[in-house]
Amino acid sequence: DASKKLNWLYQLFGPKTKVSVDYYVSSMKKGQVDPLVSEHFQREGHLYRWKMNGMRPDDVAITGDIDESFSRDFLRALQICDVPQFRPGQ
C-alpha cells in the first residue's frame, strides 16, 4: 500500500522532514537513448524536487545507485563533523 510506504519514509526521516515520492518513466525503448542523458534528466529532477522541498545551500544531498549505501554512523558524521568541502561558498 502506497500510503504505508510513505508513512514509513516519514518515520525514517522524522516528522519535520518533507518527504516526496516522484516517479520517473522513460518513453524511450532500451537502446534508443544514451544512458548518460537519461541519468542527467533524473538528476535534474532530483535537484528540482530538493529545491521545491526547501533544500538550502548548506544542506547536503547524497545520490547513488541502489547498491551504494552509507551507514547511519557515516551519515551522522557528515551532520556533525566539519567537512571543508561542504562549507558554503567552497
Side-chain angles (χ1 to χ4, degrees), residues 34-65:
D34 183 347
L36 294 177
V37 172
S38 179
E39 184 174 321
H40 169 76
F41 285 122
Q42 290 178 26
R43 291 189 188 270
E44 286 293 315
H46 296 323
L47 292 173
Y48 172 78
R49 177 54 62 193
W50 290 337
K51 289 177 186 176
M52 293 296 294
N53 283 353
M55 188 172 199
R56 298 169 304 194
D58 59 337
D59 290 336
V60 174
I62 299 172
T63 60
D65 295 331

Side-chain angles (χ1 to χ4, degrees), residues 6-69:
L6 186 59
N7 188 38
W8 178 80
L9 288 172
Y10 278 116
Q11 291 175 1
L12 179 66
F13 294 108
K16 294 183 180 181
T17 302
K18 185 170 181 177
V19 177
S20 298
V21 178
D22 291 324
Y23 297 94
Y24 173 80
V25 179
S26 173
S27 61
M28 303 297 279
K29 292 183 180 174
K30 194 172 187 173
Q32 285 184 319
V33 67
D34 183 347
L36 294 177
V37 172
S38 179
E39 184 174 321
H40 169 76
F41 285 122
Q42 290 178 26
R43 291 189 188 270
E44 286 293 315
H46 296 323
L47 292 173
Y48 172 78
R49 177 54 62 193
W50 290 337
K51 289 177 186 176
M52 293 296 294
N53 283 353
M55 188 172 199
R56 298 169 304 194
D58 59 337
D59 290 336
V60 174
I62 299 172
T63 60
D65 295 331
I66 194 70
D67 63 339
E68 300 167 346
S69 61

